[in-house]
Amino acid sequence: MVVTLISGILKRRRFAGALIVVSGLPRSGTSMMMKMLEAGGLEIVTDGERTADEDNPKGYYELERIKELDKGGDKSWLGVYRGKVVKVISFLLRELPDDFSYKVIFMRREMTEVLASQKKMEDRRGEDSQTEDEKMADLYKNHLWRVNYQLKNSKNFDFIEVPYGEVLEQPGPWARRVAEFIGGDLDVEKMAAVADPKLYRNRKRA
Amino acid sequence: MFGPKVKLSKELFDRVRKYADIAGYSSVDEFVSHALEKELEFIGEADSEEEIRKKLQGLGYLS
């Protein structure tokens, strides 16, 4: 009991002023979660470079500079965003510097749905994927295992996994869980109102 | 016998022990060695990082 209490206090102290990171594979509901957090009252970091389109009708909520994290160089600029929300795809999580702490909301979605959604996006962008779905699913599963290991074992990461499909089915309870994870005074009702089932377009058929 | 050691969480070790048994491996060591060899083969063959990177660049999520 005392140990739990102390570890809770230490954890709260470690993650005070953490960057809030929304992550996951592309097309797993990260933009929806960004919008939920914005509605809840948090400050979102986006440069608006990538504007809304058919794939993301409500916008991407991205920061172009984040996409260059794997190119090395100084990353201290991230410190400016402590307490704010940034979107970092799962592939780039390992590039986040150890100098800061991170509270990560990690979106999970059925792999078949992710791949179907990515395929549509590639078609619209005129991209021709060289990798078959089955192989891509294996690569992503391996990748997600490594990401999960990092999240569980890095001291400067605290995380919650959020299943996209369930958020659309039960937005209220999930909005509450996410708000509790982040802490502070978020507007849970407004967060829940963002989850839009109409966006669930590549749903896995039973 | 006294070679390099690898640390696993208790939860993972218990699962590994259970499945090593079910799959008929003679020991946890044998199962882990086999699994790692298969994984290394997969990684080497697929050059997985690069394939994921290309995919994400095509989708506009990486520069």
Side-chain angles (χ1 to χ4, degrees):
Chain A
M1 175 103 178
V2 175
V3 173
T4 313
L5 196 68
I6 292 172
S7 83
I9 292 168
L10 290 176
K11 194 173 178 184
R12 269 198 298 281
R13 189 176 291 177
R14 193 183 319 139
F15 289 98
L19 275 103
I20 299 163
V21 174
V22 173
S23 189
L25 287 174
R27 316 305 297 160
S28 60
T30 49
S31 298
M32 179 188 75
M33 181 51 66
M34 291 293 281
K35 194 162 177 54
M36 283 175 75
L37 296 176
E38 183 180 40
L42 287 171
E43 192 175 333
I44 300 296
V45 181
T46 174
D47 53 20
E49 281 270 322
R50 201 177 188 189
T51 51
D53 57 20
E54 206 176 328
D55 292 306
N56 260 8
K58 296 189 175 179
Y60 283 86
Y61 291 90
E62 290 176 355
L63 188 64
E64 288 299 311
R65 208 171 175 190
I66 292 275
K67 298 180 187 178
E68 291 174 2
L69 280 177
D70 61 335
K71 307 285 185 288
D74 176 37
K75 297 174 186 174
S76 60
W77 54 270
L78 272 164
V80 176
Y81 302 127
R82 275 186 285 198
K84 299 175 186 173
V85 188
V86 290
K87 181 161 129 181
V88 181
I89 57 165
S90 55
F91 191 78
L92 291 174
L93 279 180
R94 63 184 175 190
E95 305 292 342
L96 290 171
D98 293 336
D99 319 359
F100 312 117
S101 54
Y102 308 93
K103 286 189 84 80
V104 180
I105 297 146
F106 198 89
M107 300 303 294
R108 290 274 189 181
R109 188 179 182 184
E110 284 283 346
M111 188 59 74
T112 48
E113 295 177 5
V114 168
L115 290 171
S117 182
Q118 290 188 354
K119 175 81 177 67
K120 279 187 187 170
M121 199 173 183
E122 281 171 338
D123 290 346
R124 284 195 195 102
R125 292 171 63 89
E127 290 285 334
D128 186 20
S129 177
Q130 305 293 313
T131 312
E132 292 190 1
D133 274 4
E134 200 179 329
K135 189 173 178 189
M136 206 63 229
D138 278 344
L139 293 173
Y140 276 154
K141 279 177 194 164
N142 266 290
H143 161 70
L144 289 175
W145 190 94
R146 292 197 297 270
V147 170
N148 190 259
Y149 186 87
Q150 178 197 356
L151 292 173
K152 278 185 177 164
N153 293 286
S154 304
K155 277 191 175 159
N156 54 335
F157 280 87
D158 190 14
F159 77 108
I160 181 175
E161 289 187 295
V162 178
Y164 176 67
E166 280 186 33
V167 176
L168 293 172
E169 282 168 14
Q170 306 163 35
W174 274 106
R176 201 168 307 115
R177 260 180 246 184
V178 170
E180 279 168 11
F181 168 72
I182 293 169
D185 191 19
L186 298 189
D187 190 329
V188 173
E189 275 184 31
K190 281 188 182 166
M191 284 173 73
V194 168
D196 182 358
K198 285 202 285 293
L199 292 178
Y200 201 6
R201 291 169 295 189
N202 294 293
R203 185 176 224 151
K204 184 182 168 188
R205 302 284 168 222
Chain B
M1 190 170 175
F2 297 105
K5 288 178 183 170
V6 176
K7 231 172 158 180
L8 299 179
S9 67
K10 181 165 183 331
E11 185 198 0
L12 179 60
F13 183 79
D14 289 344
R15 282 172 59 208
V16 167
R17 185 163 50 192
K18 182 179 161 192
Y19 287 105
D21 195 34
I22 291 171
Y25 287 90
S26 62
S27 66
V28 169
D29 286 357
E30 186 188 350
F31 177 45
V32 170
S33 298
H34 188 206
L36 287 178
E37 271 171 22
K38 279 198 294 187
E39 178 64 13
L40 288 172
E41 211 172 278
F42 175 79
I43 290 171
E45 198 181 281
D47 200 10
S48 57
E49 283 286 288
E50 209 36 48
E51 289 203 57
I52 293 177
R53 182 185 299 278
K54 269 188 213 157
K55 181 92 171 173
L56 299 179
Q57 278 171 337
L59 290 165
Y61 288 92
L62 278 184
S63 295

